[in-house]
């Protein structure tokens, strides 16, 4: 957004609207002055002379629709027509705009009230300005379409005609402003297309990869293929002499994947030249102590550890040993899942300019403020000397919560001060320099009594960690379902070492745990002579709250039952005609990120072992309000497609001698359009605050698919990805 000096009064209003703990930013978006120039009513709203309204979208846009959704909340309470609205991305400035993160499906629950209060407070100021102008009681004024009306006299005034006066009024405490009754919503709850879609269709520059400016140099960066290796020597002078090469720079790292590994950067006026020269590098790396890590080694160690006592106990309830001793039947099974890469269509990239002690960054980041801190530490500059411009991201899925590309671009640019540098990862770089979803192994056992009830449940979870703690995204909650619903339960955990950096992948933890727990519970249900929905309803019992994650909302069993009943009704579960041979339906449920989702998959499996999903039914409960229905459905459908891809597309990451072996989409594939099934989405609206839905629809589809394959073939899927060899015959 344009950088215009913000007046002190406007700044104070911004302070009130975003929580009070703000500091003045010298380059604040959405500011303005009276007259023909736009007028800022607060940090998010600018009103132009033609009565158009510019609203700032504060969170990173990674395809989840937040650049449209958050301004919808503001526009609704401001009481303007959507046709009047123009949306601009703000820069990163949490002290001004509040939290700016794309992750954890938190955009709606965190901003549902604050962004509505932004609009409502601005509307209140405009009403006060009109009341003063006309000498009337504000209670007698109404607003609609960016116009204030005095109903008794018929007088009207556009917001543009009142903006300067409104901006001069004393700030209003947003906690005291009245919000609309949801029954009066005209924008919230309507389907509005993404604001960037016309530009995307036209191929206009929006993404980090599109950044261009005079004098820009392109950088290709080589790092050790073994994670954590350090630079020793190489043919740098030889590469410096290659045509078109401007610089060859050694980057000394701090050994931290999140910020800086050692590397050698080649700079040129085109990325093609830089990358070709990068390929001519002949570098020597010190990888001592790092080459012993491998996929086969992890599997062998996990197998050896599985039968031993867990390193630590996560949860224990009741008398587990007695439950198993008295069981009429015991079900046992081992499950596993691989490391996964994120596979964003836009590879990681960042443009940086270091000049006169200041740093300016253009980045497709999901979480800019930690990046600011890392850059400040790496370059030795104060955080306030760094400006981060957030570009649109061509996919994130959690990968861009890490800001390694930002730190690396800044570190390279710092060696050519005054010259903007764009760092771009090649696809192979992107696959081999990821922060991977960690793999894991589970040994389950379930005790079933003579009445078919689940009376005991155990899991020995083998994951990755060090110093007794799981590494990033490798954790399992002690409250993982069916904890709280089985009287005798024990969860244990053992840790393996790895040099692979790990990170959050869409629906972190849940994307793996949903598969293993719901698939094993389907085995338990079959052994007990039940279907999984029946077993789930039996375990959930009467509506009540169950602990879920520390410092997080509880799992409400009534809401869980609501989506289970809904999806079973949608698909006609148990009521349809017998399916033909090789065809089956499976069920899965999961609660994560405050969202409740139940899903049923219809799959056909050929004699050759090809599994083709025909249809997926999805029922979701994300509270009382769907802000943008068309985008909500898109998000759920995207989650389902992504989950099916993890299961069927062979996306497993393998490691040999400390390095990842995959190179590109040919050996780390993602789903293609022809593989996408029909996906039907319906909502269970409940009287709960709205929650996010970018992630919680993903976990149930993987076990639903695995359980559908069992229904079709009688074969259990206990490891991913699913291959034709598993299913053939």
């Amino acid at each position: 957004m344009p950088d215009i000096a913000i007046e002190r009064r406007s700044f104070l209003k911004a302070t009130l609207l975003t929580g009070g703990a703000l500091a003045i930013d010298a380059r604040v978006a959405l500011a303005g002055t009276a007259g023909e120039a736009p007028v800022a009513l607060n940090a998010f709203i600018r009103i132009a002379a033609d009565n158009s309204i510019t609203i700032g979208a504060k969170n990173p846009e990674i395809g989840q629709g937040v650049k449209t959704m958050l301004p919808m909340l503001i526009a609704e309470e401001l009481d303007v027509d959507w046709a009047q609205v123009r949306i601009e991305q703000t820069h990163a400035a949490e002290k001004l705009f509040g939290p700016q993160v794309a992750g954890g499906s938190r955009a709606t629950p965190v901003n549902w009230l604050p962004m509505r209060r932004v609009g409502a407070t601005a509307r209140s100021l405009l009403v006060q300005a009109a009341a003063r102008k006309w000498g009337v009681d504000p209670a007698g004024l109404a607003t609609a379409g960016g116009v204030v009306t005095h109903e008794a006299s018929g007088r009207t005034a556009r917001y543009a005609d009142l903006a300067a006066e409104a901006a001069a009024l004393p700030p209003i405490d947003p906690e005291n402003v009245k919000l609309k009754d949801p029954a009066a919503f005209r924008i919230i709850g309507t389907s509005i297309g993404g604001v960037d879609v016309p530009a995307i269709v036209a191929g206009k520059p929006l993404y980090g990869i599109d950044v261009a400016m005079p004098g820009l140099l392109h950088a290709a960066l080589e790092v050790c293929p073994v994670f954590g290796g350090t630079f020793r020597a190489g043919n740098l002078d030889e590469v410096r002499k290659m045509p078109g090469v401007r610089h060859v720079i050694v980057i000394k790292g701090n050994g931290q994947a999140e910020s800086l590994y050692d590397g050698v950067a080649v700079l040129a006026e085109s990325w093609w030249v830089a990358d070709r020269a990068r390929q001519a590098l002949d570098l020597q790396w010190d990888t001592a102590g790092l080459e012993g890590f491998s996929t086969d080694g992890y599997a062998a160690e996990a197998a050896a550890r599985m039968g031993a006592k867990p390193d630590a106990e996560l949860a224990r309830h009741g008398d587990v040993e007695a439950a198993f001793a008295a069981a009429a039947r015991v079900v046992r099974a081992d499950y596993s899942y691989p490391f996964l890469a994120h596979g964003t269509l836009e590879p990681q990239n960042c443009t940086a300019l270091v000049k006169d002690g200041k740093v300016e960054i253009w980045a497709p980041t999901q979480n800019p403020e930690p990046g600011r801190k890392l850059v400040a530490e790496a370059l030795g500059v104060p955080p306030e000397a760094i400006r981060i411009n957030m570009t649109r991201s061509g996919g994130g899925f959690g990968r861009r919560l890490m800001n390694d590309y930002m730190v690396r671009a800044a570190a390279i640019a710092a060696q050519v001060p005054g010259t903007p540098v764009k760092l771009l990862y090649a696809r192979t770089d992107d696959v081999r320099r990821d922060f991977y979803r960690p793999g894991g192994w589970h040994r389950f056992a379930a005790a079933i009594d003579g009445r078919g009830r689940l009376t005991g449940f155990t899991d020995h979870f083998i994951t990755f960690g060090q110093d007794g703690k799981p590494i990033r995204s490798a954790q399992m909650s002690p409250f993982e379902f069916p904890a709280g619903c089985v009287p005798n339960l024990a969860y244990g955990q053992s840790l393996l070492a790895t040099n692979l950096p790990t990170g959050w992948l869409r629906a972190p933890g849940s994307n793996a745990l949903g598969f293993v727990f719901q698939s094993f519970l389907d085995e338990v249900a079959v052994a007990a002579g039940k279907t999984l929905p029946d077993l789930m309803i039996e375990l959930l019992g009467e509506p009540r709250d169950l602990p879920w994650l520390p410092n997080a909302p509880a799992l409400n069993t009534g809401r869980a039952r609501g989506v289970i009943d809904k999806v079973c009704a949608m698909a006609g579960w148990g009521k349809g005609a017998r399916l033909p041979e090789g065809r089956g339906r499976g069920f899965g449920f999961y609660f994560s990120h405050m969202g409740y989702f139940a899903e049923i998959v219809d799959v056909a499996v050929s004699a050759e072992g090809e599994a083709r999903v025909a249809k997926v039914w999805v029922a979701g409960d994300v509270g009382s309000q769907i802000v943008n229905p068309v985008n909500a459905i898109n998000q759920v459908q995207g989650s389902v497609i992504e989950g099916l891809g993890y299961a069927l597309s062979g996306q497993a990451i393998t490691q040999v001698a400390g390095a990842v072996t995959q190179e590109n989409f040919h050996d780390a594939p993602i789903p293609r359009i022809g593989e996408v099934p029909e996906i039907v989405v319906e909502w269970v609206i409940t009287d709960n605050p709205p929650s996010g839905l970018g992630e919680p629809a993903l976990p149930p589809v993987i076990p639903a698919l695995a359980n559908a394959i069992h229904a079709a073939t009688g074969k259990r899927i206990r490891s991913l990805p699913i291959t034709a060899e598993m299913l053939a015959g």
Side-chain angles (χ1 to χ4, degrees):
M1 302 196 69
D3 293 325
I4 309 171
I6 192 167
E7 295 179 354
R8 180 177 180 275
R9 184 177 298 274
S10 296
F11 167 74
L12 290 174
K13 291 175 185 172
T15 301
L16 285 172
L17 286 165
T18 53
L22 305 180
I24 292 178
D25 187 319
R27 309 176 69 187
V28 172
L30 288 169
T33 56
E36 289 302 311
V39 177
L41 292 188
N42 55 51
F44 294 87
I45 299 170
R46 189 172 69 233
I47 301 177
D50 64 357
N51 214 33
S52 62
I53 314 293
T54 299
I55 297 178
K58 73 182 185 71
N59 278 21
E61 175 60 71
I62 59 172
Q64 83 281 42
V66 74
K67 190 174 178 181
T68 304
M69 186 274 288
L70 292 182
M72 286 175 67
L73 303 180
I74 295 174
E76 178 67 73
E77 296 289 352
L78 184 58
D79 220 3
V80 296
D81 293 333
W82 189 251
Q84 295 174 257
V85 174
R86 307 291 180 266
I87 298 175
E88 295 181 4
Q89 181 72 60
T90 73
H91 66 293
E94 281 197 352
K95 291 182 179 180
L96 181 66
F97 300 112
Q100 294 176 285
V101 182
S105 294
R106 298 289 294 163
T108 298
V110 167
N111 293 290
W112 170 248
L113 291 178
M115 291 299 97
R116 289 175 63 196
R117 287 169 178 153
V118 165
T121 306
R123 175 189 171 277
S124 181
L125 289 170
L126 291 161
V127 167
Q128 287 186 34
R132 290 192 177 199
K133 183 176 182 178
W134 297 329
V136 299
D137 185 347
L141 301 180
T143 59
V147 174
V148 179
T149 300
H150 184 228
E151 296 178 347
S153 66
R155 284 177 290 187
T156 63
R158 302 179 311 155
Y159 284 1
D161 302 324
L162 301 166
E165 291 83 353
L169 293 173
I172 297 174
D173 184 348
E175 296 288 338
N176 296 330
V177 72
K178 184 178 180 180
L179 299 177
K180 281 186 178 182
D181 185 317
F185 287 163
R186 295 185 304 111
I187 293 175
I188 294 173
T190 61
S191 290
I192 294 177
V195 296
D196 284 342
V197 169
I200 292 170
V201 172
K204 294 182 179 180
L206 288 170
Y207 299 91
I209 202 171
D210 297 323
V211 171
M213 60 189 70
L216 182 143
L217 293 180
H218 297 262
L221 178 66
E222 187 74 3
V223 299
C224 182
V226 177
F227 289 92
T230 54
F231 176 70
R232 293 176 58 189
N235 61 336
L236 308 189
D237 289 338
E238 178 182 328
V239 174
R240 287 187 178 104
K241 297 175 183 177
M242 293 180 65
V245 172
R246 293 281 298 275
H247 303 280
V248 177
I249 295 170
V250 175
I251 303 297
K252 292 302 294 180
N254 57 13
Q256 301 299 314
E258 296 85 350
S259 51
L260 278 177
Y261 278 149
D262 284 10
V264 175
V266 179
L267 277 63
E269 292 183 6
S270 79
W271 187 82
W272 188 90
V273 170
D275 190 53
R276 290 300 179 273
R278 186 264 295 263
Q279 294 177 34
L281 289 168
D282 183 12
L283 306 178
Q284 291 83 53
W285 306 94
D286 184 353
T287 59
L290 300 171
E291 295 183 357
F293 298 104
S294 70
T295 299
D296 290 344
Y298 299 143
E301 186 177 358
R305 301 280 295 279
M306 193 68 83
K309 184 180 179 180
D311 293 346
E313 196 169 73
L314 293 179
R316 178 169 286 271
H317 308 290
D319 190 336
V320 176
E321 290 73 17
F324 277 86
R329 185 167 185 180
V330 174
V331 182
R332 303 182 190 275
D334 292 349
Y335 279 79
S336 66
Y337 42 84
F339 282 90
L340 290 177
H342 290 81
T344 60
L345 285 182
E346 179 192 22
Q348 310 317 304
N349 65 85
C350 181
T351 300
L353 173 63
V354 178
K355 185 178 180 181
D356 300 329
K358 296 182 179 180
V359 183
E360 186 156 13
I361 289 169
W362 295 260
T365 175
Q366 290 182 238
N367 197 12
E369 290 304 329
R372 186 193 307 275
K373 180 180 179 181
L374 290 172
V375 170
E377 292 172 352
L379 271 58
V381 299
E384 55 270 20
I386 302 169
R387 177 182 171 88
I388 301 174
N389 305 291
M390 296 185 294
T391 66
R392 188 181 176 98
S393 297
F397 316 120
R399 171 61 180 92
R400 289 181 162 101
L401 290 168
M402 315 306 295
N403 290 287
D404 52 303
Y405 47 87
M406 187 187 296
V407 185
R408 290 170 177 179
I412 296 167
Q415 296 204 33
V416 286
T419 301
V421 173
K422 182 200 282 189
L423 171 65
L424 173 64
Y425 287 16
R427 180 65 62 194
T428 300
D429 299 334
D430 214 34
V431 173
R432 292 184 173 177
R433 300 180 191 171
D434 207 336
F435 290 79
Y436 304 94
R437 194 286 302 275
W441 297 261
H442 295 257
R443 172 158 288 180
F444 289 113
I448 303 172
D449 70 12
R451 298 169 59 187
R453 297 177 304 181
L454 179 58
T455 58
F457 192 94
T458 65
D459 176 27
H460 182 182
F461 175 35
I462 297 181
T463 184
F464 293 88
Q466 58 186 10
D467 301 326
K469 296 180 180 180
I471 56 177
R472 185 188 296 115
S473 198
Q475 300 86 353
M476 185 177 88
S477 168
F479 305 114
E480 185 70 31
F481 186 87
C485 296
V486 179
N488 309 288
L489 177 141
Y491 292 158
Q493 174 181 278
S494 297
L495 302 178
L496 307 181
T498 182
N499 72 326
L500 285 182
T502 58
W504 300 282
L505 179 68
R506 193 174 191 175
S510 307
N511 53 47
L513 298 174
F515 160 59
V516 297
F517 275 85
Q518 286 285 293
S519 296
F520 180 65
L521 283 172
D522 191 65
E523 295 197 52
V524 174
V526 171
K530 304 170 183 177
T531 68
L532 181 54
D534 289 338
L535 176 63
M536 290 293 298
I537 290 172
E538 178 183 302
L539 290 172
L540 290 166
E542 294 302 312
R544 66 193 191 283
D545 286 342
L546 298 175
W548 187 245
L549 295 172
N551 303 315
L555 186 164
N556 181 269
T557 61
R559 297 180 71 182
R561 291 187 61 167
V563 295
I564 292 172
D565 290 340
K566 177 71 171 181
V567 80
C568 287
M570 291 167 61
W573 180 266
K575 299 179 181 178
R578 185 178 180 86
L579 296 173
E581 185 177 355
R583 187 86 172 264
R585 290 184 178 180
F587 168 89
F589 163 83
Y590 207 75
F591 167 70
S592 68
H593 299 86
M594 296 186 285
Y596 297 76
F597 279 83
E599 303 177 19
I600 292 175
V601 166
D602 187 317
V603 69
V605 182
S606 70
E608 294 74 29
E610 179 189 12
R612 190 162 190 86
V613 178
K615 190 169 184 177
V616 181
W617 292 267
V618 182
D621 174 359
V622 290
S624 60
Q625 181 67 60
I626 306 299
V627 177
N628 189 352
V630 67
N631 187 69
I633 290 174
N634 290 343
Q635 283 295 290
V636 171
Q637 291 174 332
S639 290
V640 168
I641 294 167
E642 190 169 349
L644 293 174
Y646 296 155
L648 291 171
S649 295
Q651 292 177 261
I653 289 297
T654 55
Q655 187 182 15
V656 174
V660 167
T661 62
Q662 278 69 27
E663 295 182 346
N664 209 314
F665 289 146
H666 72 281
D667 55 4
I670 58 177
R672 306 301 175 113
I673 289 177
E675 300 166 346
V676 174
E678 178 184 359
I679 304 169
V680 180
V681 182
E682 294 187 17
W683 305 105
V684 176
I685 302 300
T686 57
D687 188 20
N688 295 281
S691 56
L693 49 78
E695 295 170 282
L698 189 155
V701 75
I702 304 176
L705 170 63
N707 297 336
I709 288 173
H710 175 261
T713 67
K715 297 179 178 180
R716 280 292 175 191
I717 301 300
R718 298 191 178 104
S719 65
L720 297 177
I722 302 166
T723 65
E725 289 75 19
M726 292 178 179
L727 305 180

